[in-house]
Amino acid sequence: MLSRFILSLCVSLALCSCSSGGDAAGSSAGALVDNTQWVESMQGEEFFGAPPAGSECDLEPIDCEEYFPWPEDDCVDFDPATGCITAYVPECLDAFTVLAVYTRMPDDRVPLCNWITLEQPSLRAIRAGDRVEVRGFHSRLTAPVPGEAHIGLVIGDEQVLDYQVTIPTDSVFPDVEWTAAKAYPAGTPILFHVDNHGQNEYMLIEVKVL
């Protein structure tokens, strides 16, 4: 798939373009999340709004015996062509472990997944003035037409990523750099949210302090 090739290339370039600047003394630079550790969250209404009527996401994987349960603290060489259907999975992509979220429309076998929020505590502290980078990706969005997709990321009490796109649209890298106005201790809740009623794929590549 072309979009997967483009994503793979982008991730490879990301490995070569890590920040070389910043204050090394006492630096808090590094990963803020571990993409193997996301869990379902009921938080986030303040930022993403209340789920509309009919919104839901069945998190139980279907026909995923080849992969599930996901390996502890590791990624999955996931191939949707195997027939495994899951709302989210820590997916291996080059040297990265990405969080892949798959939205879907219901049919006789597959339950709806059009609204999902995941959460984990931050891996490190953020100082006031620190720059935080969020790298994301979505495949070509094809359904529904017309429609809209929404990707969000929250650190503590701040929405760092608020990406909305009209469907249909091509593959995009909704990356963002955010500067913290105040300090956040390690363990601060981080939320990742996707809503879209369509059979589409979204990825969180990384969240890191530069």
Side-chain angles (χ1 to χ4, degrees), residues 125-194:
I126 300 172
R127 306 169 303 182
D130 275 348
R131 292 177 299 125
V132 174
E133 183 179 49
V134 182
R135 290 183 179 270
F137 174 82
H138 63 68
S139 61
R140 187 172 187 275
L141 304 181
T142 59
V145 178
E148 186 175 84
H150 180 206
I151 306 171
L153 187 129
V154 169
I155 298 176
D157 57 359
E158 282 285 332
Q159 185 159 1
V160 176
L161 173 66
D162 183 16
Y163 174 82
Q164 299 183 52
V165 60
T166 301
I167 299 172
T169 188
D170 290 331
S171 302
V172 163
F173 304 90
D175 300 343
V176 67
E177 187 176 304
W178 168 76
T179 301
K182 64 180 183 181
Y184 294 88
T188 294
I190 296 181
L191 303 177
F192 181 66
H193 173 84
V194 173

Side-chain angles (χ1 to χ4, degrees), residues 72-145:
E72 186 175 358
D73 301 324
D74 201 358
C75 59
V76 177
D77 287 312
F78 185 70
D79 181 2
T82 62
C84 173
I85 298 169
T86 183
Y88 71 99
V89 57
E91 189 168 339
C92 304
L93 187 69
D94 293 337
F96 274 60
T97 297
V98 302
L99 169 66
V101 173
Y102 293 88
T103 58
R104 55 184 183 251
M105 292 182 284
D107 60 28
D108 291 341
R109 187 176 70 95
V110 182
L112 177 67
C113 181
N114 65 352
W115 186 281
I116 182 171
T117 304
L118 303 170
E119 180 178 0
Q120 68 171 277
S122 64
L123 298 179
R124 65 185 68 244
I126 300 172
R127 306 169 303 182
D130 275 348
R131 292 177 299 125
V132 174
E133 183 179 49
V134 182
R135 290 183 179 270
F137 174 82
H138 63 68
S139 61
R140 187 172 187 275
L141 304 181
T142 59
V145 178

Side-chain angles (χ1 to χ4, degrees), residues 51-71:
S55 297
E56 61 179 287
C57 189
D58 189 333
L59 300 182
E60 187 67 28
I62 301 170
D63 295 340
C64 296
E65 292 79 8
E66 179 179 349
Y67 305 110
F68 193 78
W70 318 131

Side-chain angles (χ1 to χ4, degrees), residues 17-22:
S17 61
C18 296
S19 173
S20 58

Side-chain angles (χ1 to χ4, degrees), residues 40-52:
E40 181 183 15
S41 176
M42 305 307 293
Q43 305 302 312
E45 187 170 316
E46 172 187 355
F47 304 98
F48 313 125

